[in-house]
């Protein structure tokens, strides 16, 4: 499975020779991606996994062991990959020394999951030496292996250019995207369950995956001892996807303190089990200001067409905006909008903290909601109602569009 990161991650103009820190959920394909790149550039021997005792012994015997590897003649600038190096007690100093010594003659990529992300943010010995990147579950273009329609910036949402938005959508062919999107919705963007495409395997994989995150990553990254409480929280979260999450309601259901629920939610975010989007306040005097929405990185954990599709769209938009931010295209962020009177649109993309476009998720409904019209007029931005079970796009007055999900996701990447 080819990943969209291959088009920009190793671009010297983007990363400027700094170390690449690639983090993301477990089993999302980081190792496969890095090994594939090493093979492409003839550097398979420059992959070092710190879980391998041989690698640890080699470094212990000779901290300058990399010199011999880099002395070999190669066709282009060598790529050095370190995986799980954060398990070394002094890993930041190790990387700092190797990078300072060899940055002119080699490019470095460091991979890991939640622990790398967590430990990276503590301390400052590597400041100025790396750029962080994230790999999330695969998008439609990646699983379809067709990147012809992926948009390089957000202009297609706010200013589609000559011909408008609909011709851009109509160029996305039904094959392979429509059928592939249905498979993606059914099995998620995690490579293994998607490629196996079997319900029995997917259920077993999901159960073991969740146990791994809670049993290993959660214990290592937090001091939480009430694992049963976390498991109970995970049973309650799927039914709350799509709505602002009330911590007080969870506190009452779980019979624990408010701060405990907040700490548990933050821990689940650290291990890449869930992510959240906050409400946008901006100039909306009647906007709610506190309650975030929570979504899963594996949307198959959510039941019901509507909430599951909203979760998938949230992740698709997050992946798209991460890519734009990583490429230096600007400061993009993802929010939702809701007033105290109940007007709500699922997603608002902002650029430099200003509203750019509204996006509503619907499983089947093609009629524009009143909230879409309300916020579109109030914020003076285009609005897209993305519908799962739909084939043809529609344009309505005031830059409001109803669009098929499989075509829309093909543009996101």
């Amino acid at each position: 499975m080819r990943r969209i990161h291959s088009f920009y991650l190793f671009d010297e103009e983007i990363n400027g020779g700094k170390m690449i820190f690639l983090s993301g959920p477990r089993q999302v394909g980081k190792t496969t991606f890095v090994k594939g790149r090493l093979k492409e550039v003839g550097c398979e021997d420059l992959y070092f996994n710190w879980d391998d005792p041989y690698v640890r012994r080699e470094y212990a015997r000779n901290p300058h062991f990399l010199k011999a590897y880099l002395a070999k003649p190669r066709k282009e600038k060598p790529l050095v990959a370190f995986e799980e190096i954060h398990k070394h007690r002094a890993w930041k100093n190790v990387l700092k020394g190797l990078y300072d010594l060899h940055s002119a003659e080699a490019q470095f990529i460091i991979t890991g999951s939640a622990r790398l992300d967590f430990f990276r943010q503590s301390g400052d010995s590597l400041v100025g030496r790396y750029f962080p990147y994230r790999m999330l579950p695969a998008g439609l273009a990646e699983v379809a292996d067709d990147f012809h329609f992926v948009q390089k910036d957000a202009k297609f949402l706010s200013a589609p250019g000559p011909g408008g938005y609909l011709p851009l959508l109509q160029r996305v062919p039904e094959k392979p995207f429509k059928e592939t999107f249905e498979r993606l919705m059914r099995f998620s963007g995690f490579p293994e369950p998607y490629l196996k495409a079997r319900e029995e395997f997917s259920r077993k994989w999901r159960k073991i995956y969740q146990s791994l995150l809670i049993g290993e990553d959660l214990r290592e990254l937090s001091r939480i001892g009430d694992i049963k409480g976390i498991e109970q929280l995970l049973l309650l979260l799927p039914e709350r996807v799509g709505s602002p999450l009330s911590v007080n309601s969870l506190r009452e259901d779980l019979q624990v303190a408010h701060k405990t629920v907040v700490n548990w939610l933050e821990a689940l975010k650290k291990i890449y089990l869930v992510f959240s989007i906050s409400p946008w306040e901006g100039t909306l005097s009647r906007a709610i200001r506190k309650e975030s929405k929570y979504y899963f990185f594996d949307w198959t954990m959510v039941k019901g067409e509507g909430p599951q599709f909203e979760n998938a769209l949230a992740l698709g938009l997050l992946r798209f905006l991460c890519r734009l931010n990583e490429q230096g295209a600007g400061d993009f962020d993802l929010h939702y909008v809701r007033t105290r009177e109940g007007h709500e649109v699922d997603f608002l993309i902002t650029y430099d903290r200003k509203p750019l476009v509204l996006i509503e998720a619907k499983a089947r409904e093609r009629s524009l909601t009143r909230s879409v019209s309300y916020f579109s007029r109030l914020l003076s931005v285009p609005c897209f109602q993305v519908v799962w079970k739909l084939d043809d796009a529609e344009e309505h007055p005031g830059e409001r569009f109803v669009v098929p999900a499989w075509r829309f996701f093909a543009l996101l990447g």
Side-chain angles (χ1 to χ4, degrees):
M1 183 185 295
R2 189 162 45 140
R3 304 308 294 264
I4 201 166
H5 302 71
S6 62
F7 294 100
Y8 68 91
L9 196 65
F10 303 102
D11 188 338
E12 285 286 341
E13 293 186 5
I14 292 177
N15 59 47
K18 295 183 182 294
M19 285 186 286
I20 299 166
F21 271 48
L22 182 62
S23 59
R26 276 181 179 259
Q27 299 183 33
V28 82
K30 299 183 294 294
T31 299
T32 301
F33 169 76
V34 170
K35 285 186 173 181
R37 176 64 180 182
L38 290 170
K39 186 176 181 179
E40 285 179 12
V41 297
C43 293
E44 295 102 315
D45 59 326
L46 295 181
Y47 171 79
F48 303 100
N49 189 330
W50 234 254
D51 279 337
D52 185 345
Y54 175 80
V55 173
R56 296 197 300 269
R57 285 197 303 269
E58 188 169 12
Y59 175 78
R61 284 197 302 263
N62 178 18
H64 297 289
F65 75 103
L66 203 53
K67 284 185 177 181
Y69 286 91
L70 296 180
K72 297 179 182 179
R74 302 181 190 271
K75 295 180 180 178
E76 53 186 278
K77 189 175 183 178
L79 175 65
V80 179
F82 288 113
E83 186 163 14
E84 305 295 341
I85 192 174
H86 54 278
K87 294 181 180 179
H88 189 284
R89 185 182 302 175
W91 71 278
K92 288 187 177 182
N93 288 332
V94 172
L95 275 183
K96 180 177 179 293
L98 292 173
Y99 175 78
D100 289 349
L101 189 61
H102 301 293
S103 60
E105 54 186 325
Q107 187 174 45
F108 289 78
I109 183 167
I110 318 302
T111 65
S113 52
R115 286 171 293 185
L116 173 64
D117 228 15
F118 178 76
F119 292 132
R120 174 182 63 82
Q121 297 174 40
S122 59
D124 59 358
S125 61
L126 294 175
V127 167
R129 293 176 172 85
Y130 71 91
F131 281 147
Y133 296 87
R134 282 200 288 178
M135 179 174 284
L136 302 180
L140 182 57
E142 293 174 316
V143 296
D145 195 28
D146 190 337
F147 298 88
H148 291 95
F149 308 96
V150 175
Q151 299 301 295
K152 297 180 180 179
D153 52 47
K155 291 180 180 178
F156 83 101
L157 291 171
S158 58
Y165 186 78
L166 295 190
L168 179 64
L169 274 172
Q170 297 299 343
R171 286 200 293 270
V172 178
E174 184 172 329
K175 291 184 179 181
F177 290 106
K178 185 178 179 181
E179 183 178 344
T180 304
F181 180 71
E182 292 300 322
R183 177 172 168 176
L184 187 66
M185 286 299 302
R186 188 176 178 184
F187 296 105
S188 87
F190 284 87
E192 197 170 13
Y194 175 83
L195 294 172
K196 293 286 186 183
R198 291 179 54 225
E199 292 288 354
E200 299 84 358
F201 178 88
S202 183
R203 281 193 293 268
K204 290 176 64 177
W205 181 91
R206 194 180 311 123
K207 183 177 181 179
I208 294 173
Y209 181 76
Q210 183 173 310
S211 298
L212 181 67
L213 292 183
I214 294 175
E216 292 189 14
D217 287 359
L218 187 69
R219 289 182 185 276
E220 290 187 18
L221 295 180
S222 71
R223 297 179 180 178
I224 295 173
D226 189 359
I227 298 301
K228 291 294 183 183
I230 288 282
E231 291 173 344
Q232 187 65 31
L233 173 61
L234 279 176
L235 293 176
L236 297 175
L237 283 180
E239 62 190 40
R240 287 166 164 81
V241 163
S243 301
L245 188 66
S246 170
V247 174
N248 279 328
S249 175
L250 285 173
R251 176 188 62 79
E252 292 173 0
D253 290 342
L254 295 168
Q255 294 294 296
V256 296
H258 184 279
K259 185 177 181 180
T260 299
V261 177
V262 172
N263 290 339
W264 287 357
L265 290 170
E266 285 303 309
L268 293 179
K269 288 167 64 174
K270 285 179 182 177
I271 63 174
Y272 283 105
L273 193 54
V274 301
F275 64 95
S276 65
I277 65 171
S278 60
W280 184 77
E281 301 173 22
T283 56
L284 300 178
S285 60
R286 301 292 292 171
I288 64 170
R289 301 177 183 276
K290 292 184 179 180
E291 297 176 339
S292 294
K293 286 186 176 184
Y294 280 76
Y295 298 96
F296 287 86
F297 284 99
D298 178 3
W299 59 75
T300 64
M301 295 180 67
V302 182
K303 305 303 177 185
E305 277 188 350
Q308 188 181 86
F309 176 63
E310 182 178 330
N311 196 141
L313 182 56
L315 184 58
L317 294 171
L318 179 66
R319 185 193 306 108
F320 175 63
L321 298 184
C322 279
R323 174 164 58 89
L324 296 187
N325 290 331
E326 289 169 355
Q327 291 177 304
D331 184 11
F332 293 91
D333 209 346
L334 184 63
H335 300 276
Y336 75 95
V337 286
R338 180 183 174 92
T339 65
R340 298 172 194 172
E341 291 77 24
H343 292 293
E344 180 180 342
V345 173
D346 295 326
F347 306 109
L348 171 69
I349 294 176
T350 61
Y351 175 68
D352 287 341
R353 301 184 180 182
K354 296 178 181 179
L356 185 71
V357 62
L358 291 156
I359 299 172
E360 177 78 358
K362 292 294 180 184
R364 297 177 182 271
E365 184 181 343
R366 61 192 304 161
S367 299
L368 286 168
T369 67
R370 286 191 297 175
S371 291
V372 163
S373 301
Y374 172 80
F375 280 115
S376 184
R377 290 194 302 269
L378 186 64
L379 300 177
S380 300
V381 295
C383 186
F384 298 89
Q385 186 160 301
V386 184
V387 184
W388 181 359
K389 306 295 182 178
L390 185 69
D391 288 335
D392 297 316
E394 301 173 357
E395 183 173 1
H396 296 259
E399 290 191 300
R400 294 172 297 159
F401 304 89
V402 179
V403 300
W406 58 272
R407 295 183 188 272
F408 189 79
F409 274 66
L411 302 181
L412 294 180

